[in-house]
Amino acid sequence: MPYTGEAFMLKRLSEPSPNVHQLVAAWDGLAVGMGSLMLGMGRRRHSGDIFLFIHDDYWGRGIGRALLGALLDLADNWYGLSRIGLEASPSNDRAIALYETHGFVREGLKRADVILEGQLEDSVVMGRIRLAPAPAEGDPT
Amino acid sequence: MIDIRAPEERDIQALTELVNCPGVRWGADRLPCTPRSWVEAQVMRQDANAHPIVAEVEGRAIGWAALRQKPGRSRHVGSLGISVHDDFQGRGIGRAMTAALIDLADNWLGLTRLELSVFTDNDPAISLYRAFGFVIEGTSRAVFLRDGQLIDSHLMGRLKPEQQQKSTA
């Protein structure tokens, strides 16, 4: 939304939910990208939803790729999630292509889901499935 | 005779029984052993963006449903959740609650889009939603655990009738 004040971000950063893992991408010490992994609850404990955004002036420098890589590392190697979901704007071809190269598949299209520049725009729903971690190799005895 | 009305404090016991029904758990995102305190918190919570209803038959709340309006740039979107007690399936109670929530969305709140998710093998529910104009917009794979297995869920959406021709899909 327009007119987002500092208080919004202060609350978000200072009162993190235990089920949301947040990280930023810094360029020369300046935070120019933000990513979140929201862990599923209850019967969705095996899953998470991710979200990322990058400052307009820093697009095209691989920041999205780096953030996405870090979020997927968290999901795969630290939380051991089986499913990651996300939503993207259908007009954001570069983001969708990035997600596809990281194993996300289009699962659906939510019609008239969000207002963009005064028009109702659809949202692309994407998912990435991965086997849950197996026991490490070695003799259990 | 089905009566659709707001949930009240006196419904907490009946609704606790409802959410713990095996069939309700099968079809919804519920865990076993949901305590009365959870139901009480839901019933007593005042949230301007949530519009819960119950269906009452013979003085007992045997259906529970809600329309939740989304925030920000999706204020025009509502999501639906509907549960009916196992012993009252097949009596038109889900239909009556769905109709009430769609009336709320179309004629009182003026929402443009309604959405819900339903497990892909819940045929009676899918047929009901189709009858009200919902279409399957996608299928999220492995999104819920049920009986020890990861199962898929359809995303269904319905645009307010006059919006239909403006849709891209």
Side-chain angles (χ1 to χ4, degrees), chain A residues 47-126:
Chain A
S47 73
D49 291 296
I50 62 167
F51 178 72
L52 53 102
F53 51 78
I54 293 132
H55 190 296
D56 288 14
D57 297 344
Y58 291 82
W59 290 8
R61 301 192 196 189
I63 294 167
R65 184 176 302 274
L67 271 174
L68 181 61
L71 290 169
L72 294 179
D73 174 58
L74 266 178
D76 292 346
N77 302 320
W78 299 83
Y79 286 110
L81 302 183
S82 302
R83 175 191 163 82
I84 306 293
L86 62 80
E87 291 185 12
S89 165
S91 56
N92 196 350
D93 296 328
R94 286 198 298 181
I96 291 170
L98 175 67
Y99 299 139
E100 284 175 339
T101 63
H102 285 78
F104 286 86
V105 172
R106 289 173 191 249
E107 292 182 330
L109 187 72
K110 297 165 83 171
R111 298 166 299 159
D113 185 50
V114 64
I115 300 181
L116 180 70
E117 294 170 350
Q119 304 279 328
L120 292 176
E121 198 187 57
D122 302 341
S123 293
V124 177
V125 178
M126 303 185 82

